[in-house]
Amino acid sequence: MKLHWSPRSPFVRKVVILLKETGLESCVQYVRSVAAIATPNPAIMADNPLSQIPALVLDSGEPLYDSPVICEYLDTLHDGPRLFPVAGPARWTALRRQALGDGMLSVLLIWRQERMKTAARQLPDWLASFQLKIDTALDRLETEAPALAGSGFDIGHLTIGCMLSYLDYRFADLDWRHGRTQLAHWHDGFCRRPSAIATVPDDAAT
């Protein structure tokens, strides 16, 4: 299988952590691919017409995208504990947490683009909206942190962990840990997992 990959994408990191957690990494060939909002990449578009990563190409040539689909497919290929619970309340909780983490990452990516503009071109209402959404979601996660800590490790934990790490990487000035000690403690444990240590972006590891 071939994976369009970049070390700084939080959605790609999510897939790579799953590969490491499940022992499937040797089954995948990483193809370094640059994806930018304003610059479509023809090499990516040959497999994902939206020019987004991650994109996985199966041995059959069929492509899969994006990270939730790729992760759930890969989770069917190993014999270890499943990161996607198969049924019942645990599955819906894991999928809800995955959706929240992915949604927050989508907001953060757009927010970062807005913050990179000159002050004259920034839209204050947009910036305030992004801030409110992320703060509200983080406060919700703080209330859920004891449940996160007491329920093993699944795709929900993985996605939330990647999202919080992306906040550290691109939004360190936000100080998201302030007033959220339980969530910060849980994330510290996530960051100590070998799969998380191995996937820290090179320029964030120092």
Side-chain angles (χ1 to χ4, degrees), residues 28-113:
V28 173
Q29 172 195 1
Y30 293 132
V31 178
R32 183 66 178 268
S33 303
V34 178
I37 292 176
T39 311
N41 184 334
I44 301 174
M45 294 176 76
D47 297 315
N48 180 351
L50 298 177
S51 191
Q52 294 176 344
I53 55 175
L56 180 71
V57 181
L58 307 185
D59 292 337
S60 65
E62 180 182 0
L64 293 179
Y65 41 81
D66 51 1
S67 66
V69 176
I70 293 171
C71 286
E72 188 154 13
Y73 172 77
L74 292 172
D75 200 39
T76 69
L77 303 183
H78 65 98
D79 296 324
R82 290 285 185 261
L83 274 76
F84 284 79
V86 263
R91 176 172 176 80
W92 300 117
T93 297
L95 293 180
R96 173 180 58 77
R97 288 172 176 163
Q98 176 183 222
L100 179 59
D102 283 342
M104 292 176 74
L105 282 172
S106 294
V107 171
L108 290 170
L109 290 171
I110 301 171
W111 189 5
R112 180 169 179 263
Q113 292 292 319

Side-chain angles (χ1 to χ4, degrees), residues 79-150:
D79 296 324
R82 290 285 185 261
L83 274 76
F84 284 79
V86 263
R91 176 172 176 80
W92 300 117
T93 297
L95 293 180
R96 173 180 58 77
R97 288 172 176 163
Q98 176 183 222
L100 179 59
D102 283 342
M104 292 176 74
L105 282 172
S106 294
V107 171
L108 290 170
L109 290 171
I110 301 171
W111 189 5
R112 180 169 179 263
Q113 292 292 319
E114 189 67 19
R115 280 166 41 122
M116 290 171 67
K117 295 178 181 178
T118 62
R121 295 180 60 229
Q122 290 178 352
L123 299 174
D125 288 349
W126 283 32
L127 294 173
S129 174
F130 297 146
Q131 178 87 60
L132 177 61
K133 290 175 182 179
I134 294 301
D135 284 345
T136 302
L138 287 169
D139 289 343
R140 180 70 57 87
L141 285 171
E142 171 68 8
T143 67
E144 197 169 338
L148 280 169

Side-chain angles (χ1 to χ4, degrees), residues 10 13-14 17 105 157-166 190:
R13 188 184 187 202
K14 175 182 162 186
I17 287 178
L105 282 172
H157 299 81
L158 195 165
T159 309
I160 296 298
C162 286
M163 180 275 300
L164 294 173
S165 293
Y166 187 76
F190 170 84

